[in-house]
Amino acid sequence: MNDEQENTTSFNERFNRHFNDFDKALKSAAEKFLSLPDSRVRVVSHLDADGISSAAIIIKALNRLGRFYSLTILPQLKYEDVVRFSSEKDKVFIFTDLGSGELCAFNELMKDKQVFILDHHQPEACELKENITHVNPHNFDFNGSSEICGAGVTYMFAKHLDSKNKDLSRIAILGIIGDVQNPKEGLNKLILKDAVDTGNIKVIKGLRIFGAQTKPLYKALVQSTDFNIPGVTGNESGAIQFLKQIGVEPKINGKWRRIIDLDKDELKRLVEGIVMLRFGEDTPEDIIGDVYLFTKEREGSPLKDAKEFATVLNACGRMGKASYGIGACLGDLRFKKLAVSVLDDYRKEIVNGLKFFEKNRNSNYVIEENGLLIINAQSKIKPTVIGTVCSIIARNTSLKDDTFIMGLARIDDRYTKISMRYKGNKEVNLKEILSDILGDSEGEVGGHHFAAGAYIASEYEQEFINRAKQVIQDKLLKVKTL
Ligand SMILES: [Mn+2]
């Protein structure tokens, strides 16, 4: 509690000191954009849920201005992408949810373009020329990893383009949830307020179990990996038995019931039952909390709960169908259906990835050594799915504790995506370890302590694997002597 209070105080202090400047920077960026001649706008955004929400917000805002645009969605902005953009004929670019890591490249290469960067990632230090407009919360002492997301920055910019865009705050909520931020923390609060004020979002107290709107109740409980429920998580018969014990029928008239199908009393018994089972956990009541609902979506739709909607967007991005996700954000009925159907394809893709791993455990595709598991999937697993596959393997209980998991998947004929996860309970910083492995080679690393990723030229795959073995063995030795 104390920590939280301290954080809140310091946020309020920082808010009083810097918010005006941050908002002014957004406002003058918007004014600058509006003063430019009316040419086609090139929008470039990131492929995750936050990036797709950002793109949806800016596209709607451009539509309202009657401006033409073209859209590009990238898994990551690389130096060579900037090289490519610099030689294209478009004069005005808006980068959302990415760009802050390549500021020097913009400076150097985009000399005859007007570039707007609306991002929340840690910015590269660089003195910017006049034609590069960069707005980033980090430059105003706000925390871009917890207090505002890419869609949040984009939304605040859009609101300065036209106050009508206030209704787009609902889309920014998807970016916040997608980037695993708290809508009640930091600058996110302002966006949540707009989303509630415009009547688009409703916040309720509920079970924070994924799939309340769509999954059979027992299944949602079995799959509750975010909140462990002893005897129920990962245990189908345990889940059904638990429901019978608390007097909640898992099935009525041959139809599996969802959380939203329960009446008030049943829901109360369910919550109490879960909290009881979680009694040994550090914070048993954490499973109850804020749930963010889209008021205009129908009950039971995968787009009703912001967490499920964000998952749909994420799937769209990773399956190369970002435009479906953008259409769904903008409320287009046809795209909503298409976007939801992509989620099934995405799940199949993950299952196929896991099957590939299991089938090839004794082949050249999978290297298993003391404390290290490398899946060199080549083109057998999509680069946008390899990270999720590694995460699931890391949660798999049959794997020994203290294991580093790495996945390699080809992006095209030149680049390979690397994902890294860890199973165990030691303090590790995967981003740092991955940087160690890459050394001074050309690769670029992103991520954080528990999940890291990188891109390397495919010709260095073998060299990378060799170095990974070496670095991880050193690491394991160190971990053991701690
Ligand atoms: Mn983001």
Side-chain angles (χ1 to χ4, degrees):
M1 218 42 200
N2 269 335
D3 271 2
E4 204 173 291
Q5 272 162 4
E6 262 168 41
N7 269 334
T8 318
T9 330
S10 80
F11 172 76
N12 288 342
E13 245 168 54
R14 283 181 288 121
F15 184 86
N16 290 334
R17 216 174 298 151
H18 302 295
F19 181 72
N20 269 341
D21 291 336
F22 180 56
D23 199 46
K24 246 188 244 158
L26 286 159
K27 187 169 183 227
S28 66
E31 281 165 355
K32 186 170 181 184
F33 176 81
L34 291 172
S35 75
L36 296 175
D38 183 354
S39 63
R40 188 174 84 154
V41 181
R42 186 69 180 272
V43 176
V44 182
S45 195
H46 192 209
L47 65 50
D48 68 3
D50 187 26
I52 292 177
S53 318
S54 307
I57 290 168
I58 202 72
I59 281 171
K60 182 72 189 181
L62 291 174
N63 266 329
R64 281 177 170 162
L65 291 170
R67 302 287 295 265
F68 289 108
Y69 63 85
S70 80
L71 170 71
T72 304
I73 296 284
L74 297 174
Q76 193 198 34
L77 183 74
K78 298 198 284 290
Y79 181 84
E80 62 167 61
D81 295 315
V82 184
V83 173
R84 182 163 43 93
F85 290 136
S86 71
S87 67
E88 285 172 10
K89 63 178 196 309
D90 285 309
K91 292 286 175 222
V92 182
F93 284 74
I94 300 180
F95 292 85
T96 57
D97 194 34
L98 43 67
S100 292
E102 290 294 346
L103 293 179
C104 299
F106 288 126
N107 237 1
E108 177 195 334
L109 298 166
M110 305 279 267
K111 289 197 177 93
D112 63 336
K113 323 257 184 219
Q114 284 293 338
V115 179
F116 296 83
I117 303 149
L118 308 167
D119 195 2
H120 69 128
H121 295 98
Q122 197 70 48
E124 187 181 36
C126 213
E127 183 93 31
L128 292 178
K129 302 211 175 88
E130 242 230 281
N131 61 317
I132 314 288
T133 307
H134 172 234
V135 190
N136 188 309
H138 288 284
N139 292 342
F140 299 88
D141 211 12
F142 294 115
N143 186 344
S145 55
S146 62
E147 293 175 342
I148 189 165
C149 65
V153 180
T154 307
Y155 164 67
M156 291 174 80
F157 172 82
K159 220 167 88 170
H160 283 299
L161 290 177
D162 184 342
S163 60
K164 240 197 248 159
N165 293 329
K166 191 175 174 185
D167 63 339
L168 305 182
S169 51
R170 71 175 197 280
I171 304 173
I173 299 297
L174 294 167
I176 298 172
I177 301 282
D179 265 8
V180 207
Q181 296 190 9
N182 180 348
K184 290 190 171 169
E185 190 177 334
L187 299 170
N188 292 333
K189 267 187 297 210
L190 307 178
I191 298 161
L192 176 62
K193 186 177 181 298
D194 285 356
V196 172
D197 284 352
T198 47
N200 289 308
I201 291 280
K202 186 171 76 176
V203 191
I204 60 158
K205 282 272 178 248
L207 275 175
R208 292 160 69 200
I209 289 180
F210 187 84
Q213 297 280 333
T214 53
K215 287 190 184 179
L217 168 57
Y218 85 95
K219 215 171 212 167
L221 294 175
V222 171
Q223 294 169 353
S224 61
T225 41
D226 290 350
F227 301 96
N228 181 47
I229 310 169
V232 171
T233 305
N235 182 344
E236 291 211 357
S237 58
I240 301 235
Q241 206 184 340
F242 162 70
L243 290 174
K244 299 235 157 160
Q245 260 167 20
I246 58 171
V248 172
E249 276 308 320
K251 202 180 200 177
I252 283 182
N253 297 333
K255 243 187 120 187
W256 293 111
R257 299 170 79 205
R258 301 161 297 181
I259 290 181
I260 54 167
D261 297 324
L262 304 187
D263 67 31
K264 244 185 170 170
D265 272 355
E266 288 174 312
L267 200 57
K268 192 164 163 255
R269 288 202 298 279
L270 177 66
V271 171
E272 284 168 359
I274 291 176
V275 173
M276 290 277 263
L277 286 179
R278 281 172 49 82
F279 219 75
E281 308 280 313
D282 290 341
T283 46
E285 65 290 336
D286 260 18
I287 200 157
I288 308 154
D290 296 316
V291 174
Y292 298 87
L293 299 177
F294 283 80
T295 53
K296 287 166 192 163
E297 292 296 331
R298 141 188 92 71
E299 187 89 343
S301 151
L303 308 179
K304 179 78 181 174
D305 182 321
K307 229 177 180 172
E308 292 191 56
F309 198 154
T311 306
V312 168
L313 294 185
N314 190 41
C316 289
R318 284 167 199 282
M319 296 300 286
K321 299 280 193 269
S323 59
Y324 295 180
I326 291 169
C329 285
L330 299 178
D332 182 291
L333 280 178
R334 195 170 67 91
F335 280 119
K336 276 191 197 175
K337 273 196 195 125
L338 286 169
V340 169
S341 74
V342 172
L343 190 55
D344 291 330
D345 302 340
Y346 176 61
R347 289 194 175 125
K348 272 182 216 144
E349 197 72 32
I350 292 168
V351 170
N352 286 341
L354 290 166
K355 278 188 188 150
F356 171 82
F357 160 65
E358 286 299 344
K359 238 199 294 178
N360 290 285
R361 280 186 94 156
N362 292 310
S363 78
N364 286 336
Y365 288 116
V366 179
I367 299 164
E368 284 183 80
E369 278 183 12
N370 195 18
L372 180 62
L373 170 67
I374 300 177
I375 307 163
N376 188 6
Q378 311 277 317
S379 309
K380 306 282 187 184
I381 299 179
K382 267 194 171 53
T384 49
V385 168
I386 188 82
T388 310
V389 169
C390 289
S391 295
I392 295 172
I393 293 171
R395 285 201 296 265
N396 181 336
T397 40
S398 80
L399 211 61
K400 228 174 54 185
D401 248 10
D402 233 356
T403 301
F404 291 89
I405 298 126
M406 302 182 104
L408 285 77
R410 293 272 169 87
I411 296 166
D412 46 36
D413 47 6
R414 293 170 53 213
Y415 284 97
T416 296
K417 165 85 196 278
I418 295 164
S419 292
M420 187 168 183
R421 303 290 186 272
Y422 168 73
K423 180 181 187 219
N425 31 37
K426 303 265 165 50
E427 294 253 337
V428 294
N429 183 343
L430 295 184
K431 192 178 176 185
E432 221 173 82
I433 298 173
L434 195 50
S435 303
D436 260 14
I437 297 172
L438 285 169
D440 328 312
S441 68
E442 282 289 285
E444 290 176 57
V445 184
H448 40 85
H449 288 217
F450 317 109
Y455 297 81
I456 58 165
S458 300
E459 55 192 304
Y460 296 123
E461 274 174 7
Q462 197 48 50
E463 199 180 318
F464 174 85
I465 290 172
N466 294 341
R467 268 193 65 83
K469 288 182 183 173
Q470 212 174 49
V471 170
I472 296 294
Q473 292 321 325
D474 287 356
K475 252 300 119 28
L476 287 169
L477 284 177
K478 267 190 216 140
V479 169
K480 285 208 176 92
T481 50
L482 275 180

